[in-house]
Amino acid sequence: MTNPARPGWGDAWTVDDLQALPEDDQVYEIFDGSLLVSPRADVFHGAVANRLRRILDRQAPAGLLVGQDIGVSAKHSSYFVPDLFVARERALASGGAALDPRDVLLVVEVISPSNAGRDLVLKRHEYAAAGIGLYWLVEPRKQTLTVLANTPGGYREQALLPVGEIYRADEPFPLVLPLADIF
């Protein structure tokens, strides 16, 4: 059976199929061959992500890049676009449709009510299975940061911090993050 959006092709979507999708106000991701479509983030969500990116950018050492709008793919049938990521800068020189998760040290998702399940369950599982060491969940409405570290059994919570706290860490690089500055 073929997918009507892609005549003559099989039902399973792959990373290669993303090139044929329109450049519009949607975010396209793939999970095990299924296309996931969601609207671009709202202004509040974008402001939180951009404030966090500025803070991380100022502290990131040479050789590491804090980025947005680039997907991560561990397998040809899955592709996710984190709100932010920290990756080895050399990984960007290879080009391609997505970052290899082996080069990604941290992914950050800013939780939106419309797709919270995707970030809290689906992406958490997939990012862990791909071997990404750190996963941060930023919840703007609760004004919290949850820090998850990858262990042999999947991500485990390292910290849950409210807006008044200052997060200090050595990974993915030495950093000081006053949560009030992102909310």
Side-chain angles (χ1 to χ4, degrees):
M1 183 173 162
T2 60
N3 184 319
R6 302 176 311 138
W9 293 37
D11 281 336
W13 287 80
T14 69
V15 174
D16 295 334
D17 297 326
L18 295 170
Q19 302 303 318
L21 293 172
E23 291 188 28
D24 55 16
D25 287 334
Q26 304 296 322
V27 176
Y28 296 100
E29 298 177 301
I30 301 171
F31 171 65
D32 279 345
S34 294
L35 184 66
L36 308 175
V37 182
S38 52
R40 293 255 174 228
D42 65 19
V43 173
F44 183 55
H45 180 284
V48 169
N50 281 294
R51 285 185 203 117
L52 178 55
R53 180 175 179 180
R54 277 198 316 264
I55 293 168
L56 294 175
D57 269 336
R58 286 193 299 263
Q59 299 179 57
L64 294 182
L65 175 78
V66 180
Q68 292 174 283
D69 300 323
I70 298 176
V72 177
S73 179
K75 52 188 177 182
H76 212 57
S77 61
S78 289
Y79 170 91
F80 295 103
V81 182
D83 289 309
L84 293 171
F85 64 85
V86 174
R88 292 176 185 89
E89 195 155 348
R90 71 175 190 269
L92 299 173
S94 64
L99 289 170
D100 185 318
R102 292 175 293 194
D103 291 313
V104 179
L105 307 176
L106 164 69
V107 287
V108 179
E109 295 292 352
V110 178
I111 307 297
S112 296
S114 63
N115 67 355
R118 190 177 298 171
D119 293 338
L120 296 171
V121 180
L122 181 64
K123 288 185 177 183
R124 179 178 177 155
H125 171 78
E126 289 293 304
Y127 290 150
I132 297 172
L134 293 169
Y135 185 29
W136 291 3
L137 297 165
V138 178
E139 297 208 33
R141 282 154 185 80
K142 293 180 182 178
Q143 295 191 334
T144 60
L145 167 66
T146 303
V147 176
L148 303 170
N150 207 346
T151 67
Y155 284 120
R156 298 287 178 245
E157 187 176 299
Q158 267 189 339
L160 172 60
L161 301 123
V163 71
E165 297 290 323
I166 296 175
Y167 178 58
R168 298 173 195 281
D170 291 325
E171 296 295 328
F173 49 80
L175 63 92
V176 177
L177 174 63
L179 293 186
D181 290 356
I182 63 172
F183 299 112

